[in-house]
Amino acid sequence: MTTDDLDARAAALDAQHAATDLRDRFLLPDGVVYLDGNSLGALPVGVPEAVESAVREQWGRDLIGSWNTHGWWDAPERVGDAVGRLVGAAPGQIVVGDSTSVRLHQSLHAAAALRPDRSVVLTEPGSFPTDQYVIAGVATQVGWRVEHATPAEIGARLGSEVAAVVLSHVDYRTGELLDLPGITAAAHDAGAVVVWDLCHSAGALPVGLDEHDVDLAVGCGYKYLNGGPGAPAYGYVAARHHAAFVNVVPGWNGHAEPFAMAGVYRGAPGIARARIGTPPMLSLLALEAALRAFDGLTIDDVRVRSLSLTRFLRDAVAAVVPEAALVSPEVDRLRGSQVAFRHPDAYGIVQALAARGVVGDFRTPDIVRLGVAAPYLTHADLVTAARTLRDVLDRGEHLNPAWSRRNVVT
């Protein structure tokens, strides 16, 4: 694809995918091409009204009665079922609340309890830092040995000592999509359980938790699910594991009789036993409203649009900025919903692009990451992004001393 072809090709693709263009369901500033939805999703139109209702009517008028009259008590499981529709989980297997770190900590302890006679946790060395910290912390607590392997090496490293395999479904830097069905099946054949981090896949592509017999999974609510900054995370526990699920953080919300105020913990039946403490209702209700942006659309529809957009963006960057060292997979089935490239001045590039209204993000040491939230982006937006990138580089705007990484507080 040449640079002269970009506009015509974008127009043709936008017409082809017009039925899945949901830009009018989101509140985005005029003149902004937002390519950071894989860090913080855009604001869905229904969220401000939902939050105002939660504050003024539910909290302000109905006060504590809202736990019953407005369904606050049931919200962690109700919203969990809404997330489940996007990640392929039947009702009653996902609970929402707390942070991804807490949910991962909880899930790893549950995995250890499911495989008490095994001593190794297998993970990828390049996983998101929080995942690495939590894995190391839990390993110390339960007596695991942490072993690292690349996704391609996982199969060969599965032995009788491996209790759990813990991986991110999509690499947060490059956008590489891992083989969730294949890795899960291989781990099960070796007697291990699998814990998947879905932060960069939920809401962007099919996951198929039930279909692929995943054991445990976690994810955040603020990226492709558009739940807002600090939106609560979710935890998935396959129904077959509910009876044996050990909640290492046994809060009162997960008690079988939470209002009995018993002095001894007894876990609730089903996914409710994965609940911990009082949920953050305002952010939980914001997430619930945000998920309605997917109404009338299947996750397969989102994936078809996403693949077209990321394929086009990858081609556009290669055509307009041929010196960009693309690191996101070229093959569709291996790519999540982002396009990333390496550049020694990556941080300055991201800042210069943002100054021009093209918002992406930077990942150390040298990655420019362009997240593609399919519902609210068009192919025409991506032409703008690619051409703006070319202009920034040609004008040397990315070399502005104010954007030297030496001046960045990390």
Side-chain angles (χ1 to χ4, degrees), residues 283-301:
S283 56
L284 185 51
L285 295 174
L287 173 59
E288 182 173 34
L291 292 171
R292 296 188 186 112
F294 291 95
D295 286 355
L297 202 67
T298 69
I299 196 62
D300 293 304
D301 294 331

Side-chain angles (χ1 to χ4, degrees), residues 22 31 51 53 77 104 112 116 126 139 152 174 178 193 225-226 232 245 249 262 271 315 317 356 376 379 390 392 400:
L22 304 184
V51 172
S53 172
E77 290 130 288
L104 183 58
T174 67
L178 300 195
V193 298
L225 299 183
N226 310 299
F245 179 81
V249 194
I271 192 61
D315 291 346
V317 170
R356 284 171 163 259
Y376 53 77
H379 298 80
R390 178 74 274 166
V392 160
N400 186 329

Side-chain angles (χ1 to χ4, degrees), residues 63 95 122 145 152 164 167 177 184 210-211 289 296 308 350 362 405:
L63 298 166
V95 67
L122 192 58
R145 182 174 71 256
L167 294 169
L177 175 64
T184 301
D210 289 349
E211 177 185 359
S308 180
V350 169
F362 162 78
R405 291 193 59 207

